[in-house]
Structure formats: C-alpha cells, structure tokens
Amino acid sequence: MTQSDEALAMETWLSQPHGGPEGSVTPPLFQTSLFTFDDFASFEARMAGHSDRALYTRVQNPTVAAFETAMARLEGGAAAVGFASGMGAISSTLFALLKPGDRVACVEHVYPDAFRLFEQVLRPWGVEITYHAPRAFAENPELLDGVTLAYLESPNSSMMEVTDLGATAEHARRHGVLTVIDNSWATPVFQRPLEQGIDVVLHSASKYISGHSDTVAGVVISSDEIIAKLRGLTLPLFGAKLAPFEAWLLVRGLRTLPARMREHQRTADIFVDRLSSRSEVAKVRSPGPNSVPGLTGRSGLMSVEFTDAVDIPRFADALKHFRLGVSWGGFESLVVPAAITLKQAGPKNSAQHFGVPERLVRLSLGLEDVEDLWRDIERALDTATA
Ligand SMILES: *Cc1c(COP(=O)(O)O)cnc(C)c1O
C-alpha cells in the first residue's frame, strides 16, 4: 500500500500492490531485531537524530511501518503507532497522556480490561475516574468540567451504546479536554472519529482489523504531536511493540477489511430483522447507520436481550456454528454471555454493572452463510425454550 492519490476509494488503494522488491505485491517481512550500519558516521548521525533509518525493532521496523501508514490513512490521521495488543495501545496511550492528579471521564460499560486498568492501575497511581452514560458526553457537557481526558468507546462492545462524537468533541475542545476513542466495533470503514474532531483513535486490531482470528495487536492513530509523545515515551519504555510478523498479517487483513465489513453488515441487517420479530427476544442491541451522526454502517457484533423463556446455557450449548468464546471480529461466528463477561471486571456497585440486563447475550456474526447461521439460531431457540 503506497501513499498515492488521496482521492482514491479505500477499496482501491488498499488493493494496490505494495511495490516491494522484485515486484512483490506484499510488503517484505523484516523479521529482524536490529538493523546494522555500514560506517561509524551513519551510526553517529542516527544516534544524534539526523536520520530516521531503522535501528531496533522495539521502536521501529519497516513492516510495522507499512501497517501504521495504512492505518493512519484509513482513519484520516497524520500518524499511527502499532502495539502488541489493544490493551498495549490503551495503556501506552493513557500513561503518555495522563499524570497523577488528572481526571478522566470514561463511558460506562467500557471494555472490561480497560475498566480494570482504570480501577486497578490508574486510580492507585493518582488519576481520578468518573463513569458516565455514553450519551451523557454530548447531552451533559458540564461533566467535562475539570476533566483532562474523555475516554470513549462507541459503540461499546457489550451494551452497544453510542456516543455522539462530533458534539462530544466540540464540548471537549471548549473545556480543553483530550478525547480518546476505542473504534474497534465500527472500524474506519463505518466511522472515522478524527474527522469528527476526536483527538485520538485506537483499536484492538485483534478484531476486525485482523479479521482472521490469528493475531493479537493494537494501534493508535492521532496527530504527529501525540504519536511522537507515544513513540518517545511509552512505546520504548513499556515496550508493548507490534511484532513484524503480526504487522505483516495485519496488512494482509486490511486488504479485505471493506469487503468483510460489508458482508458482516449484510448478515447483521438480516439478523436484526429476524431476531426483533421473535417472541423470545426482548431487545436487539445493534446500532445501525445514522443511529448516531457519523456512523455509516452496522458491524457484525450485536447483543440480544432474551426473555425469561430462554435458558441461556442451553441456548449456547445447542448452537453449532456459533462457538462459545471471547473476542470477536473474525471469520467465525461466536456467542458469549455478555452480562457475565462485562460484570466480572468490577464489583457489584461499579459502573460496569449499572443497567446491564441479566439475560444479555453477545453474538459476533462471522462470514458464514446467513441462512446456515439463522437456522442454527432457530434450532437453538427451540431447544432452549422447550
Ligand atoms: C478486545 C478488545 C480490546 C483489547 O484488545 P486486545 O487486542 O485483546 O488487547 C479493547 N477494546 C475492545 C472494544 C475490545 O473488544
């Protein structure tokens, strides 16, 4: 993927050959820990910061750079930096941008390990954290008074609640608050938060960005200034760097990202229709296009609130194509008891528990045939209600 004509559609530039040596269409895999120098003068120049050639893979690697360049362009950001995991991206971002005494306003029902990072690491370090309904950031801007950083996840990945990013960014700018969003659910195919004024976008690239359930990785996209801060501080010092082979797999995954997201949307649209008409279903949580400004599509991750008629363990056990498992965003369909996984991160009176329905089940719709998947759901519902 080369930096070329800005006007090209995402599908087109993601499909361009990388332009590697010998006409290779994929980027070379630099599976090396270090890069050597031919002479003392060039080494000295590199150490003095007069050149930016690769030195050591903990901080810089051309295969990783190929992924970072593509992600920056996809999100419409100036720069990007890859990490070993989504949590590596989240913790490295927060530690680079916060200091003891700062205040964070975070969305309720945030990714469970992000919640644990806030409560078990950042709070003891001296950062104050308050949790708010995702809609409150746009509707009640006073909550940003005295806040350093607003941490968003929209849609969030268990309750599927949304935040109006444009309105939130506008309020945040007025209050001098930095905004960070976990955009893993929508991907840049369906939502580009930087264009709505959000400061920092991050992803668990383990999900849709990879798309093949074979990689754990993360990435942060932002301004040159913020990415330089991460590269100068938490990337080298925490060392949660993205490995070259994982980056190579991610570049491979990105080639099909728009096509996969369209297919997930096609299946999800049919599921929302059919699930909503079932008497065993109290509510389907699946934000669609324009359910909030700037969201242009529906991903394959949705949650379903079942009525008392459904025995949830029996439902899960009866499914054949939906495997029981955490994570999501791959080719394979998954089911998980969302109420259990969300609540395990915090004590009973915590923000993780507030308003979470007991009978919430999350589905990650994969790339299987939609009719095969639907027959599986119907059969499992019959078994679980008998
Ligand atoms: C999985 C996930 C993460 C954490 O990513 P890892 O790659 O597993 O570290 C963060 N946010 C969301 C929404 C996730 O689903």
Side-chain angles (χ1 to χ4, degrees):
M1 283 166 246
T2 50
Q3 287 285 2
S4 50
D5 186 4
E6 284 294 327
L8 286 178
M10 184 186 288
E11 286 81 353
T12 309
W13 68 260
L14 281 171
S15 298
Q16 285 174 338
H18 187 269
E22 311 275 342
S24 157
V25 296
T26 63
L29 172 55
F30 287 88
Q31 188 68 33
T32 179
S33 61
L34 78 155
F35 300 83
T36 56
F37 293 75
D38 289 338
D39 53 71
F40 190 90
S42 55
F43 183 76
E44 197 177 33
R46 173 63 182 82
M47 297 315 282
H50 299 319
S51 97
D52 62 357
R53 59 155 293 186
L55 174 74
Y56 187 53
T57 287
R58 173 150 52 79
V59 293
Q60 197 180 11
N61 177 286
T63 313
V64 174
F67 170 65
E68 292 166 339
T69 302
M71 282 307 303
R73 186 166 178 187
L74 272 170
E75 287 285 9
V81 52
F83 287 96
S85 64
M87 284 312 302
I90 294 169
S91 55
S92 299
T93 299
L94 293 174
F95 274 98
L97 300 181
L98 292 170
K99 60 183 186 317
D102 284 348
R103 280 185 53 197
V104 172
C106 179
V107 285
E108 276 168 3
H109 311 132
V110 70
Y111 179 69
D113 276 349
F115 181 78
R116 294 206 306 126
L117 176 71
F118 282 124
E119 291 303 308
Q120 297 177 18
V121 182
L122 286 162
R123 196 183 290 283
W125 189 49
V127 172
E128 198 191 315
I129 302 117
T130 52
Y131 298 91
H132 309 274
R135 290 194 180 280
F137 287 82
E139 291 168 2
N140 178 22
E142 306 88 76
L143 71 85
L144 295 173
D145 278 345
V147 164
T148 315
L149 184 148
Y151 188 87
L152 312 171
E153 187 186 318
S154 180
N156 55 12
S157 58
S158 296
M159 295 281 275
M160 313 295 155
E161 299 152 315
V162 292
T163 302
D164 182 330
L165 302 183
T168 302
E170 204 182 303
H171 299 322
R173 200 134 295 175
R174 226 178 27 248
H175 284 81
V177 177
L178 266 175
T179 45
V180 177
I181 186 177
D182 182 333
N183 196 32
S184 304
W185 185 97
T187 82
V189 177
F190 290 155
Q191 178 169 269
R192 288 158 53 99
L194 298 176
E195 288 176 355
Q196 297 187 76
I198 298 293
D199 297 308
V200 182
V201 173
L202 54 84
H203 286 272
S204 168
S206 323
K207 313 295 164 53
Y208 285 129
I209 301 295
S210 151
H212 291 73
S213 303
D214 53 9
T215 314
V216 170
V219 63
V220 181
I221 308 98
S222 187
S223 63
D224 282 324
E225 189 193 347
I226 286 176
I227 295 302
K229 224 173 189 171
L230 269 60
R231 283 195 183 282
L233 203 62
T234 45
L235 176 70
L237 303 186
F238 287 179
K241 59 93 185 152
L242 178 58
F245 182 56
E246 316 300 279
W248 190 91
L249 286 171
L250 291 168
V251 170
R252 187 273 311 260
L254 283 182
R255 307 275 189 189
T256 57
L257 179 67
R260 285 187 285 110
M261 294 312 289
R262 272 197 301 273
E263 184 62 15
H264 288 304
Q265 170 159 255
R266 204 175 67 84
T267 301
D269 283 346
I270 293 171
F271 261 63
V272 169
D273 263 10
R274 294 185 185 174
L275 282 167
S276 305
S277 66
R278 296 287 304 212
S279 64
E280 306 92 330
V281 172
K283 187 173 182 180
V284 182
R285 293 173 170 268
S286 170
N290 304 317
S291 56
V292 71
L295 185 64
T296 61
R298 186 194 303 282
S299 88
L301 190 72
M302 62 175 63
S303 284
V304 183
E305 295 177 35
F306 284 114
T307 66
D308 291 344
V310 181
D311 181 324
I312 289 172
R314 278 173 68 199
F315 172 72
D317 285 344
L319 288 165
K320 286 200 181 77
H321 298 305
F322 289 83
R323 313 283 305 170
L324 250 175
V326 297
S327 195
W328 48 275
F331 52 87
E332 78 290 13
S333 288
L334 295 168
V335 59
V336 89
I340 296 176
T341 52
L342 188 60
K343 289 177 178 179
Q344 56 133 27
K348 261 207 159 28
N349 59 354
S350 71
Q352 289 301 88
H353 286 248
F354 184 74
V356 177
E358 281 305 319
R359 309 174 60 73
L360 190 70
V361 170
R362 190 176 76 184
L363 300 176
S364 177
L365 304 172
L367 298 174
E368 305 90 336
D369 176 70
V370 63
E371 298 305 336
D372 284 340
L373 290 179
W374 182 250
R375 267 193 298 277
D376 201 23
I377 295 285
E378 279 186 319
R379 201 166 40 215
L381 279 176
D382 286 348
T383 307
T385 53

